[in-house]
Amino acid sequence: MFDSLKKKFNGTIGKLTEKVSQEAEEEAKAEENSVQNETEINSLKGTDVKSAPETSDKSSSDLDNAVENVPEEIDSMEEESVDSGTKKSFFSRLKRKSSEDKPLDVSKESVASEEEKTEDIETPRGEKDESVSGKKEKEADESEKESKSGIFSFIREKTISEKDLDDLLWELEMSLLESDVALEVAEKIIISVKEDLVGKKIKRSSDVADYTRNALKNAVSGILEVESKSIDTLLQEKKTKGEPLIIMFVGINGTGKTTTIAKISTYFINKGYTPVIAASDTFRAGAIEQISHHAETIGVKIIKHKKGADPAAVAYDAVSHASAQGKEIVLVDTAGRMQTNINLMDEMAKIKRVVSPDLIVFVGDSLTGNDAVEQAMKFNDSVGLDGIILTKADADAKGGAALSIGYVINKPILFLGVGQGYEDLMEFKPEWMVEQIF
Ligand SMILES: Nc1nc2c(ncn2[C@@H]2O[C@H](COP(=O)(O)OP(=O)(O)OP(=O)(O)O)[C@@H](O)[C@H]2O)c(=O)[nH]1
Ligand SMILES: [Mg+2]
């Protein structure tokens, strides 16, 4: 379920992490270069000042020769200049320069010994500084550990900019649309993610993934949360009034209304309630037989008239039966109808007028994606919906309808149909869907 959404969101998390890490690395390199250039300029300035009388009129090759000959003197001068930061860096610089100027084929040993020398200069009185080398080893250890786990600390904080996100979020928006996510929902997700991420300061590559995942999770949670009373609360309210809860099921042909009524009956029976079914699809041939068969199998009372009878009258009789017998729930089946069929839409409005259902539930086929969302909007406009059941979620790899439908009509998804059996019904919880995706 929702594999496509899962893949798309995870793809964005991965790509953004990679992009931001790469940029952080480039920025760090650029900074390192500029610091190096600055140091070079400063040290050259230092050379000019300190050796001005002797070297100001010398050519650069003379200067290089002078540098070549300096090292032995430096060590003794270093003793005197240990406290002077400027001098120290100047000497270090000179010494490094002299070693850089050595022939390129120097052996590894000589490079190593040069490095050791340079290190000795950094350490007062030529002693090896244990705490510094220990710290370096620890840092190296940590960075090795991090690189093994695929997590890298950035050299300095990287701030996520709108520019970092634009292309990726555009790509995400397009792929959400491909997954049948409604346009307004895709746009809302992008805006919410942008608001969450732009300006976030990132220290480690793993932060990018965490922040992005959280931003996407927030966006999806925001889309799925719809305020409404739970069916249990409604049931209790009706019970205290001594009336049955009336639920009417509407939708286009073949989305799963009748099967869902059988599943919901089972759901309520399992909770200890006694439902009654109204066979108000008097329109389609075989509809009354189909629902009678389900009712018999699960052991639920069904109120039915002949084919072609007034569906509102069937529903009315079912409500009277439930009220008289103290049964808590009436489930009204209706004929499937296209939202464009005015006669059938009017007939549905008549059932509503006659029995005043507590809940009108739209049953949509999740496999039809955006079409299900469009249908829900039309049914909502003509009879007013209170909730949604999406069927065939077991076969839905895209998940676009599940993500969009509740947001677009601002009504909650109550259940998901997840198979053809009577028990294949799940209460829908937004947190559950968020967990499924991330
Ligand atoms: N895989 C799967 N199939 C389902 C689910 N719900 C319903 N179906 C199947 O969908 C088909 C149509 O179901 P019905 O319950 O007859 O649909 P309907 O909306 O009552 O159809 P009409 O009465 O013609 O409008 C049946 O074959 C059901 O078994 C579900 O959650 N998962
Ligand atoms: Mg039916």
Side-chain angles (χ1 to χ4, degrees), residues 252-259 261 281 284 287 290-291 333-336:
I252 72 155
N253 313 65
T255 54
K257 296 177 292 299
T258 305
T259 312
I261 286 175
D281 179 359
R284 180 170 65 75
Q290 183 196 3
I291 199 157
D333 193 17
T334 64

Side-chain angles (χ1 to χ4, degrees), residues 167-180:
D167 289 351
L168 276 176
L169 291 185
W170 167 254
E171 212 179 283
L172 175 65
E173 187 172 343
M174 292 304 113
S175 62
L176 289 177
L177 295 179
E178 273 169 26
S179 284
D180 281 343

Side-chain angles (χ1 to χ4, degrees), residues 247-268:
I247 312 178
M248 171 174 161
F249 296 80
V250 301
I252 72 155
N253 313 65
T255 54
K257 296 177 292 299
T258 305
T259 312
T260 300
I261 286 175
K263 291 178 184 177
I264 298 258
S265 299
T266 310
Y267 169 86
F268 282 126

Side-chain angles (χ1 to χ4, degrees), residues 7-8 70 82 95 111 139 155 158 176 185 211 216 249 251 256 269 308 315 318 347 356 386 404 437:
K7 234 184 244 165
K8 273 151 196 179
V70 162
V82 128
K95 197 153 195 182
V111 170
E139 276 170 7
I155 288 164
K158 156 94 183 116
L176 289 177
V185 170
Y211 286 146
L216 288 167
F249 296 80
I269 291 169
E347 185 191 270
S356 308
D386 302 295
S404 315
I437 297 175

Side-chain angles (χ1 to χ4, degrees), residues 24 29 46 89 91 175 189 210 346 382:
K29 258 186 210 155
S89 77
F91 290 129
S175 62
I189 290 175
D210 288 347
D346 285 348
S382 61

Side-chain angles (χ1 to χ4, degrees), residues 84-377:
S84 159
T86 331
K87 273 187 187 169
K88 189 175 164 187
S89 77
F90 166 59
F91 290 129
S92 312
R93 177 87 204 125
L94 271 181
K95 197 153 195 182
R96 201 179 318 147
K97 173 143 182 58
S98 76
S99 68
E100 276 165 9
D101 288 349
K102 292 242 161 81
L104 285 174
D105 61 348
V106 275
S107 65
K108 276 187 184 159
E109 287 79 1
S110 71
V111 170
S113 71
E114 280 301 329
E115 278 171 1
E116 273 162 24
K117 259 194 195 171
T118 315
E119 280 226 353
D120 289 344
I121 284 177
E122 304 285 357
T123 315
R125 309 199 198 306
E127 287 163 12
K128 196 104 177 137
D129 186 336
E130 287 301 327
S131 70
V132 170
S133 68
K135 202 174 158 196
K136 274 185 185 165
E137 272 168 28
K138 207 173 152 206
E139 276 170 7
D141 262 10
E142 268 170 17
S143 95
E144 198 189 338
K145 248 190 255 164
E146 284 190 343
S147 67
K148 271 187 189 155
S149 64
I151 299 165
F152 300 97
S153 293
F154 298 150
I155 288 164
R156 66 188 180 94
E157 277 184 345
K158 156 94 183 116
T159 306
I160 297 187
S161 70
E162 198 157 347
K163 200 175 114 263
D164 293 329
L165 296 171
D166 272 345
D167 289 351
L168 276 176
L169 291 185
W170 167 254
E171 212 179 283
L172 175 65
E173 187 172 343
M174 292 304 113
S175 62
L176 289 177
L177 295 179
E178 273 169 26
S179 284
D180 281 343
V181 174
L183 179 64
E184 64 181 292
V185 170
E187 282 175 349
K188 166 104 176 139
I189 290 175
I190 303 307
I191 290 168
S192 163
V193 169
K194 234 186 220 179
E195 276 173 6
D196 260 15
L197 286 184
V198 172
K200 271 254 161 25
K201 294 198 185 319
I202 308 279
K203 268 190 165 165
R204 298 148 70 89
S205 61
S206 60
D207 291 350
V208 190
D210 288 347
Y211 286 146
T212 315
R213 186 174 290 106
N214 285 339
L216 288 167
K217 261 181 157 179
N218 264 348
V220 170
S221 304
I223 295 286
L224 291 173
E225 295 292 346
V226 178
E227 288 237 346
S228 69
K229 278 188 187 170
S230 75
I231 292 191
D232 277 340
T233 312
L234 287 172
L235 249 173
Q236 292 313 317
E237 284 175 6
K238 294 294 283 191
K239 220 175 164 183
T240 50
K241 285 191 204 164
E243 292 171 8
L245 181 79
I246 305 166
I247 312 178
M248 171 174 161
F249 296 80
V250 301
I252 72 155
N253 313 65
T255 54
K257 296 177 292 299
T258 305
T259 312
T260 300
I261 286 175
K263 291 178 184 177
I264 298 258
S265 299
T266 310
Y267 169 86
F268 282 126
I269 291 169
N270 290 343
K271 287 190 158 223
Y273 295 107
T274 311
V276 177
I277 293 174
S280 290
D281 179 359
T282 58
F283 182 77
R284 180 170 65 75
I288 298 173
E289 291 74 14
Q290 183 196 3
I291 199 157
S292 300
H293 171 74
H294 285 313
E296 203 177 304
T297 313
I298 54 182
V300 172
K301 173 77 180 169
I302 181 164
I303 304 296
K304 55 187 174 185
H305 293 188
K306 285 202 186 95
K307 182 176 180 299
D310 179 0
V314 182
Y316 183 86
D317 284 354
V319 174
S320 304
H321 170 84
S323 302
Q325 302 287 314
K327 295 179 178 171
E328 301 96 340
I329 302 148
V330 178
L331 304 169
V332 182
D333 193 17
T334 64
R337 65 205 74 210
M338 291 307 291
Q339 64 273 27
T340 46
N341 187 325
I342 295 171
N343 287 344
L344 282 176
M345 290 304 261
D346 285 348
E347 185 191 270
M348 191 175 60
K350 185 181 172 192
I351 309 175
K352 179 183 172 181
R353 266 199 319 277
V354 171
V355 296
S356 308
D358 300 292
L359 287 172
I360 299 183
V361 174
F362 172 78
V363 179
D365 176 342
S366 58
L367 299 176
T368 61
N370 261 318
D371 283 349
V373 178
E374 293 281 323
Q375 292 154 19
M377 287 164 73

